[in-house]
Amino acid sequence: MSRLDNLEYLASADPAGMGEWVAGLPEQCEEAFRLGQEAPLPEAAGVRQVVVVGMGGSAIGADLLRGYVEGEMAIPFLVSRTYHLPAFVSRETLVIASSYSGNTEETLSAYGEARERGARMFAIASGGELERRAQADGVPFCRIPGGYSPRAALGYSFVPLLAVLSRLGLIRDRAEDLAEAVKVMRELRAELGQGTPAADNPAKQLAERLYGKLPFIYGAAPWSSAVAYRWKGQVNENAKNLSHSNILPELNHNETVGWEFPERLTAQIEVVLLRDREDHPKVQRRFEVTSTIMRPHVSGITEVWSRGHSILARLFSLIYHGDFTSYYLALLNGVDPTPVKVIDYLKGELAKV
Ligand code: F6R
């Protein structure tokens, strides 16, 4: 029997309940959509660009959103992950500050610059300094529930922004697509959840293949690339495991050449390909040819196919698979998936400066 089938072990190795948070993503998305529908709106007439400022688990929600709406939004959408804003940000830019804790210094710095430049603004947080400033400045604010690890609150960092962009008329309404995404995740939960034995559970099986290996996660432009980056981050933070992600077709123009050396390391790479039936036909072909080139060098290759009809459902199906896989990998690594002591240490050190 796999260690992952011992439910007592799962409970004792995960005292903060990351497994419950992972499993609860569909319900979180429903609640998050409601919050986004009720949030006060910024003035959007004449907006010429959208910039989301945020870091880590809060920024990835914006990355996913950016990739998802790229084919529809008529104005540029940028995710900025640092202290300063790009020079183009002006009164005609909508700046959305997203920080789960509300206390991330890079995000607060960018928020301050956006205010100075007179940008239209919107803020989202579970509280903290960002909420305090937004309330004091009269910036439209969406409060999301506290008590999660930021990365476990992905639904809260992504879905309210989706609802807000629709309500501002920048993208079409997504209520139906979100309902489908929730349905698809609920169906997947029966397959990927803790109670389903490894023999029938693709996420447990994939975690076992990744155990002791270097996971390389490959997605494709425009949206599964962001999902691949989410997988990498979840493997890093939940499983405390190094990981790497990259994008097709771009990686065919550089990384493909690098699989030969160092041989001791390439033999430890376990590749995960995030596949979607609507990827560009040439990208589908690239996945196949790329697998043939990689196979002799790497430990193994697993394809994970998206499920569902709408892009939103397909996107969430891949996220959900990665969240479960990284959680199971944490338990195989024998680490508590929730704490990220190194990030806490870094934030503490930087706060002293
Ligand atoms: C921790 C995590 C981190 C944080 C990041 C920014 O679970 O995922 O990547 O998200 O340090 O903090 P917040 O989200 O509070 O602005």
Side-chain angles (χ1 to χ4, degrees):
M1 185 176 91
S2 164
R3 228 179 348 148
L4 297 175
D5 293 342
N6 180 341
L7 295 183
E8 274 171 30
Y9 169 66
L10 297 196
S12 67
D14 175 25
M18 178 60 78
E20 295 309 308
W21 283 335
V22 166
L25 184 60
E27 288 70 29
Q28 185 185 123
C29 286
E30 284 180 317
E31 162 74 358
F33 194 66
R34 196 182 56 72
L35 293 174
Q37 295 288 35
E38 290 168 1
L41 290 179
E43 175 54 55
V47 161
R48 295 174 62 149
Q49 309 92 15
V50 176
V51 176
V52 181
V53 296
M55 302 300 299
S58 294
I60 188 69
D63 277 338
L64 290 159
L65 182 62
R66 200 208 63 77
Y68 173 53
V69 301
E70 187 179 287
E72 181 183 349
M73 236 169 92
I75 56 174
F77 182 148
L78 188 98
V79 182
S80 180
R81 291 175 153 88
T82 189
Y83 295 86
H84 290 302
L85 287 173
F88 69 77
V89 171
S90 71
R91 291 175 184 280
E92 293 174 331
T93 312
L94 170 61
V95 174
I96 300 175
S98 173
S99 167
Y100 184 72
S101 62
N103 291 322
T104 297
E105 62 176 37
E106 298 94 320
T107 314
L108 291 170
S109 162
Y111 172 95
E113 284 195 3
R115 290 277 305 157
E116 280 165 22
R117 295 201 208 160
R120 326 285 172 87
M121 300 206 53
F122 183 81
I124 177 165
S126 66
E129 179 66 9
L130 185 58
E131 172 168 18
R132 200 194 60 70
R133 287 200 205 170
Q135 305 287 20
D137 297 338
V139 165
F141 177 75
C142 176
R143 185 187 300 113
I144 49 180
Y148 289 75
S149 286
R151 64 191 178 282
L154 178 77
Y156 289 127
S157 64
F158 175 176
V159 177
L161 300 188
L162 181 70
V164 165
L165 292 189
S166 306
R167 290 172 60 212
L168 292 176
L170 296 172
I171 56 169
R172 70 171 168 79
D173 179 66
R174 287 304 202 286
E176 262 181 40
D177 295 0
L178 188 78
E180 197 220 348
V182 167
K183 180 172 149 286
V184 166
M185 282 192 278
R186 287 203 177 114
E187 285 161 12
L188 269 176
R189 182 158 56 197
E191 261 177 69
L192 309 177
Q194 292 95 325
T196 305
D200 304 315
N201 187 323
K204 288 185 179 177
Q205 290 167 12
L206 181 52
E208 278 166 1
R209 280 198 294 283
L210 297 179
Y211 175 60
K213 298 282 165 45
L214 193 54
F216 270 39
I217 321 292
Y218 290 160
W223 60 264
S224 73
S225 46
V227 181
Y229 191 62
R230 163 72 176 179
W231 273 63
K232 174 203 136 26
Q234 290 291 78
V235 169
N236 292 152
E237 292 189 60
N238 288 342
K240 284 66 177 169
N241 204 117
L242 268 184
S243 179
H244 167 73
S245 71
N246 209 338
I247 307 168
L248 278 163
E250 172 63 18
L251 73 88
N252 281 161
H253 299 272
N254 35 65
E255 189 162 311
T256 320
V257 188
W259 288 316
E260 290 186 39
F261 298 104
E263 285 175 25
R264 266 188 311 141
L265 286 186
T266 52
Q268 298 304 315
I269 293 172
E270 189 68 38
V271 181
V272 179
L273 304 178
L274 303 181
R275 304 287 313 262
D276 182 72
R277 64 174 189 276
E278 283 186 14
D279 278 333
H280 189 288
K282 287 282 198 169
V283 168
Q284 311 262 14
R285 181 77 189 119
R286 282 176 185 279
F287 270 115
E288 281 149 28
V289 179
T290 303
S291 298
T292 311
I293 302 169
M294 277 188 303
R295 198 160 280 116
H297 302 287
V298 300
S299 156
I301 302 173
T302 303
E303 294 193 339
V304 179
W305 283 83
S306 65
R307 302 245 193 117
H309 170 70
S310 64
I311 296 180
L312 195 61
R314 283 159 26 220
L315 179 148
F316 268 111
S317 74
L318 288 177
I319 289 172
Y320 208 42
H321 204 120
D323 285 5
F324 271 114
T325 302
S326 64
Y327 157 73
Y328 292 132
L329 183 59
L331 302 178
L332 291 174
N333 281 344
V335 292
D336 183 341
T338 302
V340 281
K341 290 188 189 133
V342 180
I343 297 178
D344 298 338
Y345 166 76
L346 271 160
K347 286 186 177 178
E349 287 300 299
L350 268 294
K352 290 179 194 163
V353 180

